[in-house]
Amino acid sequence: MTADEILKVTIDLLKEYQLKIQSGYVKERGTNKFKGYPIKDYLSNYNKRVPEYDTTTQISGQQHITVHEMPEDFFIYEKAIVNNLEYELIERVKAYVDALRDKYKKAVYLFRMDENMHRESIKSEALKLHQYGKPTQADGKTPSDVHLSGFQPDFILFLEDESDFYFQIFIEPKGMSGDRFVKELWKEELLAYMTTHQGEMEFEDDPVNVKVSGLKFYTKDDGQDTMKQLREMTGIKENQKQEEVLLSVE
């Protein structure tokens, strides 16, 4: 190879690394050990960065993000800066808050984990989930490809009862479809694996009063019956009032 050819290969390689570093490129195999972080250190006011494309289609044109006043105290922010699907999810969770409070009497909170909250900070990586164990596809048998890049679920439902038992549920809304949806399914598989392999989880300081689970993707109009899974997971029932609230957001 000539000097010019070597230089070109080097420049191309550095440009590739530049893009990966700028996008927070980290590949890491996860473990079954979970570490707790103080909520006060990881939840802070955020400013939503509106992308130059619609995140559901990746087509040029701004995503429709709206600011919603949130007077209800189950949502930890006074305002929700979210897209339509995310707001739909918040409204559906809100319909179950009373039932959840009847069971988990100490705390029922929905956290919005904005991806830009700790952008370019070590905290951003600390909050990401990584695949561990032997991931399988939805049929529970077919091996799934291993993805070494982590992801941060958009929402966490945080529950606490009077015996100081903590239940944390990850929720990820997905508005895309087709090939893009399929490519994201490894995230849903990870959340499902966490839910069905509770016995494999280890927690720092070995707490026995913590449970962590994940729901399948929340899609438009609750197309995957994610809220039914939430009811079953938390042991609450749907009543007529909740049904009426759910109908009102569809």
Side-chain angles (χ1 to χ4, degrees):
M1 296 178 65
T2 66
D4 287 343
E5 289 173 333
I6 294 174
L7 177 61
K8 183 180 184 305
V9 170
T10 303
I11 291 174
D12 290 343
L13 183 62
L14 290 175
K15 285 182 177 178
E16 180 181 344
Y17 286 148
Q18 178 188 18
L19 291 173
K20 290 179 178 179
I21 292 170
Q22 288 176 337
S23 62
Y25 177 79
V26 175
K27 286 192 173 182
E28 180 179 347
R29 184 63 187 263
T31 72
N32 62 333
K33 188 169 184 178
F34 289 76
K35 180 178 181 179
Y37 295 94
I39 293 175
K40 64 182 178 64
D41 294 341
Y42 282 81
L43 289 177
S44 55
N45 289 330
Y46 64 93
N47 293 312
K48 184 73 176 181
R49 298 183 185 180
V50 181
E52 295 299 325
Y53 54 85
D54 187 330
T55 57
T56 63
T57 63
Q58 300 294 303
I59 296 175
S60 179
Q62 287 196 341
Q63 181 183 194
H64 184 64
I65 291 177
T66 309
V67 179
H68 301 269
E69 298 291 335
M70 298 297 296
E72 299 87 355
D73 60 1
F74 83 95
F75 192 75
I76 61 167
Y77 293 108
E78 294 178 353
K79 300 178 187 294
I81 309 173
V82 292
N83 61 32
N84 291 338
L85 182 64
E86 292 165 341
Y87 184 67
E88 180 184 308
L89 169 62
I90 293 171
E91 287 293 295
R92 287 183 181 271
V93 172
K94 182 171 72 174
Y96 295 102
V97 168
D98 288 343
L100 289 168
R101 283 176 173 164
D102 286 342
K103 182 170 184 178
Y104 302 90
K105 301 183 183 297
K106 200 167 182 179
V108 176
Y109 293 110
L110 184 64
F111 301 157
R112 171 69 170 101
M113 305 301 294
D114 184 72
E115 69 276 9
N116 294 313
M117 190 183 301
H118 299 294
R119 192 178 185 90
E120 299 173 358
S121 163
I122 189 63
K123 289 184 178 181
S124 177
E125 292 303 318
L127 295 175
K128 288 184 178 180
L129 298 176
H130 296 266
Q131 278 187 326
Y132 68 96
K134 297 179 180 179
T136 57
Q137 295 181 7
D139 59 11
K141 300 177 181 179
T142 308
S144 177
D145 294 335
V146 175
H147 294 76
L148 299 181
S149 56
F151 82 103
Q152 178 179 300
D154 286 341
F155 292 89
I156 297 176
L157 182 60
F158 180 87
L159 309 171
E160 180 185 1
D161 67 14
E162 292 179 312
S163 64
D164 293 329
F165 170 76
Y166 299 91
F167 192 6
Q168 181 172 296
I169 302 173
F170 294 110
I171 313 175
E172 176 80 357
K174 284 295 175 191
M176 69 210 35
S177 61
D179 291 341
R180 289 198 62 246
F181 186 85
V182 172
K183 289 179 181 178
E184 294 284 296
L185 279 178
W186 69 269
K187 299 177 182 179
E188 183 178 70
E189 292 163 7
L190 171 56
L191 297 177
Y193 188 90
M194 292 167 49
T195 301
T196 57
H197 292 75
Q198 294 287 319
E200 297 179 11
M201 287 186 177
E202 297 178 7
F203 298 95
E204 195 173 68
D205 301 326
D206 195 29
V208 295
N209 63 333
V210 175
K211 182 177 180 180
V212 178
S213 294
L215 298 176
K216 47 192 169 178
F217 287 161
Y218 178 83
T219 57
K220 182 174 173 55
D221 298 329
D222 195 15
Q224 296 202 116
D225 288 329
T226 308
M227 292 297 103
K228 178 182 178 181
Q229 186 187 14
L230 174 63
R231 295 196 302 271
E232 294 171 348
M233 187 178 289
T234 56
I236 62 172
K237 296 181 179 180
E238 185 178 36
N239 58 35
Q240 185 61 38
K241 177 183 176 182
Q242 290 164 341
E243 291 172 357
E244 291 172 353
V245 173
L246 293 181
L247 287 173
S248 70
V249 301
E250 292 181 351

